[in-house]
Amino acid sequence: MELKTYDVKYCGNTGLKVTGNGTDAAWDRAVVLSDFISAWDPEPVKKIEFKALWDADNLYFMFKVHDNEVHVDKTDNTNASINESDRVELFFRSDADLNPYYCLEIDPSPRLMDFKAYPNKKFDFDWNWPHGDIIIKSQIEDTFFVVEGAISLKSLRDLKLLKDNKIETGVYRAKYNKLPDSSYEPTWISWVNPQTSTPNFHIASSFGVFKLCND
């Protein structure tokens, strides 16, 4: 099956400044990815805008998530707390075997839960993205939040994720909704419909492909 494709435009030799507010003029060159769905929830998904660009050194990404009820669990700064918060996610794989693949889950703070994963949801939380090869910043406003970052192309190559100017990628969002008993439950949102009966991003069918374009 042919993978859904997103064109990552080249942003030039001057690069892009990651500030967390997504206002660098270079972002005007990017293709806006906004066709997100929740395959397991009939309610409409609030607007999510994702953009990516690249230069000689980095892959840049930016989420603008329209939401006036952002939930961040402030119990502590552990992965468990991030896992109970609104967040955006990028997964990268070297091939459809998912052996391994790499996960970045980022809440609006921004706190990063990065880990290496294997088929059947086997997670290695002792693994972290190579130090110095990822920058993440964010900003929360009244009606939206922004998560913006840069990932070095070197790290993507070293992990065998960038091949022939393509990166097989999953793009996701977890939205935590407050229930009448003051607990929270997530709505799972993705760029690609995984075609599963229950929510599951940790599956080959949830990935698309980023194509690095020279224009």
Side-chain angles (χ1 to χ4, degrees), residues 14-190:
T14 56
L16 184 154
K17 187 175 181 180
V18 176
T19 61
N21 56 27
T23 57
D24 191 296
W27 283 122
D28 293 339
R29 306 180 189 181
V31 176
V32 180
L33 189 161
S34 59
D35 54 339
F36 289 88
I37 62 164
S38 178
W40 312 279
D41 193 318
E43 293 298 317
V45 172
K46 288 186 178 180
K47 188 175 182 180
I48 302 166
E49 298 169 274
F50 175 85
K51 296 180 180 180
L53 292 167
W54 72 284
D55 63 14
D57 298 313
N58 296 298
L59 172 72
Y60 301 95
F61 66 89
M62 190 264 287
F63 289 85
K64 183 175 181 180
V65 179
H66 295 260
D67 190 348
N68 58 1
E69 295 181 340
V70 177
H71 174 63
V72 177
D73 184 291
K74 298 180 179 179
T75 304
D76 50 39
N77 285 319
T78 63
N79 284 343
S81 184
I82 300 171
N83 196 52
E84 295 298 322
S85 300
D86 280 12
R87 60 191 186 275
V88 293
E89 305 177 359
L90 291 172
F91 293 0
F92 303 107
R93 72 184 196 191
S94 57
D95 56 49
D97 291 336
L98 302 182
N99 194 24
Y101 60 108
Y102 301 88
C103 306
L104 304 175
E105 304 195 9
I106 312 159
D107 79 5
S109 299
R111 297 176 298 181
L112 170 64
M113 177 166 58
D114 51 345
F115 56 98
K116 188 177 185 178
Y118 300 89
N120 301 313
K121 297 186 178 181
K122 295 179 181 178
F123 304 147
D124 177 6
F125 288 104
D126 291 329
W127 182 91
N128 298 109
W129 201 271
H131 181 71
D133 284 310
I134 185 167
I135 299 169
I136 295 172
K137 297 185 179 182
S138 68
Q139 184 168 314
I140 302 175
E141 299 290 348
D142 290 341
T143 59
F144 66 89
F145 69 87
V146 174
V147 171
E148 188 178 19
I151 302 170
S152 78
L153 296 187
K154 179 183 182 301
S155 66
L156 291 166
R157 292 190 187 100
D158 289 347
L159 295 170
K160 298 180 173 56
L161 300 171
L162 175 56
K163 296 179 287 187
D164 298 323
N165 280 349
K166 294 179 181 178
I167 309 166
E168 295 185 11
T169 309
V171 189
Y172 317 102
R173 149 99 160 120
K175 167 58 189 169
Y176 275 73
N177 307 289
K178 192 172 185 178
L179 301 179
D181 64 0
S182 295
S183 65
Y184 287 83
E185 70 173 9
T187 296
W188 301 104
I189 299 162
S190 62

